[in-house]
Amino acid sequence: MVKALVATARTQGFRDNDYHWCVEGELVWIAPPCRADRHDPDGVCGCGRGFAGLSSHRATTTAVVRTLDGISRQDFVMVLDASLTEQGYGSLDAEGLADHLLDLVADLPDGTVVEHRLDYVHVRQGVP
């Protein structure tokens, strides 16, 4: 089993520019930001603050930590690799990226809602 980030609508609206277009509960990753958002998480595109859905290929500004029973690290790598290929990111190292994503949440308790701001992932403070 692995602990990973999944899309959630929880805490949406905490920031004025929140959005949630993912499928609730789908696995998410942090895609490289585009030129418009490269230096500004509040940029017009939104990718500098969004998590990208591995299934829907849509995005959300909030994700929640979940322990996924029945999914191994290798399963996670395989799902991530397939999604990266589908989205045109096939040249990225899925195994290294998976390890980074799993390490990011390893010490956070299940149910922790996080946001992404460029190179940083923060726990949403002051929200249930």
Side-chain angles (χ1 to χ4, degrees):
M1 83 180 134
V2 298
K3 190 183 286 189
L5 289 172
V6 299
T8 186
R10 273 186 56 209
T11 75
Q12 283 290 306
F14 180 72
R15 291 187 184 272
D16 291 341
N17 58 4
D18 277 342
Y19 58 84
H20 180 69
W21 299 309
C22 283
V23 174
E24 188 74 16
E26 78 174 294
L27 288 165
V28 296
W29 73 295
I30 301 169
C34 70
R35 179 175 286 201
D37 281 16
R38 186 176 311 154
H39 303 292
D40 182 7
D42 297 311
V44 295
C45 174
C47 65
R49 63 185 176 276
F51 297 94
L54 294 182
S55 299
S56 69
H57 304 187
R58 310 259 330 184
T60 182
T61 52
T62 51
V64 65
V65 177
R66 288 280 181 249
T67 298
L68 306 171
D69 294 327
I71 296 179
S72 68
R73 177 196 167 278
Q74 195 54 43
D75 293 335
F76 184 73
V77 170
M78 189 171 56
V79 169
L80 180 60
D81 186 49
S83 183
L84 292 175
T85 300
E86 289 172 4
Q87 295 179 68
Y89 291 104
S91 63
L92 293 179
D93 172 23
E95 197 154 340
L97 182 56
D99 286 339
H100 173 72
L101 291 167
L102 297 175
D103 286 347
L104 216 96
V105 298
D107 295 330
L108 294 175
D110 275 22
T112 302
V113 177
V114 296
E115 65 181 2
H116 152 243
R117 312 274 301 156
L118 295 176
D119 294 334
Y120 302 96
V121 173
H122 304 276
V123 173
R124 284 238 163 148
Q125 300 295 323
V127 291

